[in-house]
């Protein structure tokens, strides 16, 4: 199964992977743009670049955040459009799950707290442990708030992610672990979850966005009547 994987929770990241039912997942092409404010400009060229490795796609995998509104919407809408245009399923994965799996690939017997930049002097975070060789089990979160609150969940865990680098006093980052999301790992998580769903187990594969915050713009209340 060829899976086109994309994530816009921080910058834009795209990969095309071959994920057979068994055996290793092979990366056929990948691209990344670190700019967190130019998703609309960078995502389509990255997808076009990656698909030169093979135009056939059997499914689309997309990171569902948590992340700020605009960038996350670009990725999710693009994934939905690709899925509809090609007539393939779109599977969503929490973006924090991906970073957790990358860290657990290196330290599989540990628990890991993933913290990413939520802006406004806050972080998104969740805590995990490994679930087999390709998936993760979320123990807490995802949540958004000050780094000091995330630190309450970090006791005894490895700490990874850009949020840890921003607030090292509250969330000392564990050295030598990845801080940038690898979109190819999305394919591994999707394959593991599809297999678990086929076996009758509960899985999260919905492509709904994880904003965690209420929007800044609200529908205005009805005007008061003048008397």
């Amino acid at each position: 199964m060829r899976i086109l994987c994309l994530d816009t929770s921080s910058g834009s990241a795209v990969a095309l992977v071959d994920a057979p039912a068994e055996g290793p997942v092979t990366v056929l092409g990948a691209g990344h743009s670190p700019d967190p404010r130019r998703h609309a400009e960078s995502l389509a060229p990255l997808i076009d670049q990656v698909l030169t490795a093979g135009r056939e796609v059997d499914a689309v995998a997309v990171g569902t955040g948590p992340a700020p509104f605009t960038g996350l919407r670009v990725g999710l809408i693009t994934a939905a459009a690709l899925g509809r245009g090609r007539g393939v399923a779109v599977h969503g994965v929490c973006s924090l799950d991906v970073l957790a799996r990358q860290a657990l690939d290196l330290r599989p017997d540990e628990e890991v707290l993933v913290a990413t930049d939520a802006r406004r002097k806050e972080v998104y975070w969740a805590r995990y442990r490994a679930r087999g060789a390709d998936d993760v089990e979320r123990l807490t979160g995802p949540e958004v708030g000050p780094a000091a609150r995330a630190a309450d969940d970090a006791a005894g865990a490895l700490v990874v992610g850009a949020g840890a680098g921003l607030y090292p006093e509250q969330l000392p980052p564990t050295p030598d672990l990845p801080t940038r999301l690898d979109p190819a790992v999305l394919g591994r998580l999707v394959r593991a979850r599809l297999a678990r769903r086929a076996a009758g187990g509960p899985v999260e594969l919905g492509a709904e966005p994880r904003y965690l915050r209420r929007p800044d713009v609200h529908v205005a209340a009805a005007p008061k009547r003048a008397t």
Side-chain angles (χ1 to χ4, degrees):
M1 177 170 63
R2 286 192 173 191
I3 307 174
L4 178 64
C5 309
L6 57 101
D7 183 273
T8 54
S9 60
S10 176
S12 300
V14 181
L16 179 66
V17 302
D18 185 15
E22 296 182 0
V25 171
T26 304
V27 180
L28 304 176
H32 178 265
S33 171
D35 192 332
R37 300 183 185 276
R38 294 179 61 84
H39 301 88
E41 296 88 345
S42 60
L43 185 58
L46 286 172
I47 292 171
D48 190 57
Q49 168 193 321
V50 164
L51 287 181
T52 59
R55 293 280 173 178
E56 294 300 319
V57 172
D58 301 304
V60 178
V62 61
T64 59
F69 289 83
T70 304
L72 191 56
R73 277 198 298 266
V74 171
L76 291 168
I77 291 170
T78 301
L82 286 166
R84 178 170 294 186
R86 289 174 174 261
V88 299
V90 177
H91 304 297
V93 174
C94 174
S95 303
L96 302 181
D97 293 10
V98 182
L99 272 169
R101 184 63 257 178
Q102 291 173 232
L104 291 166
D105 284 343
L106 301 175
R107 305 278 287 274
D109 297 325
E110 303 277 2
E111 292 186 4
V112 59
L113 183 102
V114 179
T116 59
D117 183 15
R119 303 176 188 171
R120 304 182 187 179
K121 299 182 179 179
E122 292 183 331
V123 295
Y124 300 114
W125 81 89
R127 181 167 176 151
Y128 299 86
R129 64 186 171 202
R131 182 169 192 160
D134 289 313
D135 206 351
V136 295
E137 179 182 354
R138 196 180 310 125
L139 304 175
T140 62
E143 298 187 46
V144 62
R149 275 185 52 206
D152 294 339
D153 273 347
L158 310 176
V159 180
V160 300
L166 290 171
Y167 306 102
E169 291 186 2
Q170 294 91 352
L171 297 169
T174 305
D176 302 322
L177 290 181
T179 58
R180 193 175 81 182
L181 184 147
D182 180 356
V185 178
L186 267 167
R188 291 172 51 198
L189 290 165
V190 165
R191 182 181 70 170
R193 293 177 186 185
L194 287 174
R196 194 159 75 249
R197 185 169 72 182
V203 295
E204 290 183 4
L205 283 172
E208 296 77 23
R210 298 175 183 268
Y211 293 133
L212 301 190
R213 287 194 182 111
R214 294 177 62 85
D216 292 329
V217 178
H218 304 280
V219 176
K224 295 181 180 179
R225 293 185 63 183
T227 58

